[in-house]
Amino acid sequence: MVRKCLSGLIAGAGLFLISSSVIPAWTQTPPAETFQPGPWQPVARVNPRQPISIKIINRTAIPIEYILTTQTGFRRLSPGQTAQLSNFSLPAYLNINPTRDRTAITYRVSVLEKTNAVTVEVYPAGSVGLHSINIDQTGAIYVY
């Protein structure tokens, strides 16, 4: 019994170490009063009571596809191009995918508070990539 519990504990610790090294540790600037370091913290915030816009900039060498899940159909964005999204409700889910297999992407997300504008810059990544951005009903922006 003790051996079974110990092996489960070791397996769980190994899984935690593997997942910790794969999931990026995002931080929010400036930090919220409730901010605790860890992978599931918002990277930025918008004011959910004002109109929100999202600007996507493709900084990769390949086309990407994106979709705001409240809209229909993927749209393509060539390298160096920019797309603008607006007039959507929260929660909003933005999915961005590389058009080539075995290509990973990552994001740099920033918010211009004065205009409630979100900028998502898409970059090539190492072996682990990101695919989704969520703006929840409170205005918190999560990347995963």
Side-chain angles (χ1 to χ4, degrees):
M1 175 82 169
V2 171
R3 185 178 295 168
K4 193 174 192 179
C5 290
L6 184 57
S7 66
L9 181 62
I10 291 169
L15 182 59
F16 173 77
L17 289 174
I18 290 169
S19 65
S20 313
S21 63
V22 172
I23 300 171
W26 298 97
T27 59
Q28 176 183 335
T29 306
E33 289 179 22
T34 59
F35 180 80
Q36 296 293 319
W40 299 110
Q41 296 295 321
V43 297
R45 293 182 182 274
V46 292
N47 184 342
R49 292 179 290 288
Q50 295 179 354
I52 302 165
S53 66
I54 301 174
K55 179 180 181 180
I56 305 168
I57 304 170
N58 184 358
R59 300 208 185 274
T60 71
I62 63 167
I64 57 174
E65 292 180 329
Y66 66 94
I67 186 171
L68 193 58
T69 58
T70 55
Q71 300 174 350
T72 58
F74 275 95
R75 297 179 183 145
R76 189 172 280 228
L77 194 59
S78 296
Q81 283 190 324
T82 301
Q84 190 79 25
L85 303 169
S86 58
N87 298 323
F88 54 87
S89 59
L90 297 181
Y93 297 90
L94 175 64
N95 294 328
I96 302 174
N97 298 303
T99 57
R100 294 189 185 148
D101 289 341
R102 299 184 182 172
T103 302
I105 56 174
T106 190
Y107 312 128
R108 182 178 299 153
V109 177
S110 59
V111 173
L112 185 58
E113 290 180 30
K114 185 176 182 181
T115 59
N116 221 29
V118 178
T119 299
V120 178
E121 295 176 89
V122 182
Y123 290 94
S127 60
V128 177
L130 304 169
H131 293 280
S132 297
I133 295 172
N134 166 236
I135 305 175
D136 74 10
Q137 293 173 329
T138 68
I141 301 173
Y142 297 91
V143 175
Y144 46 94

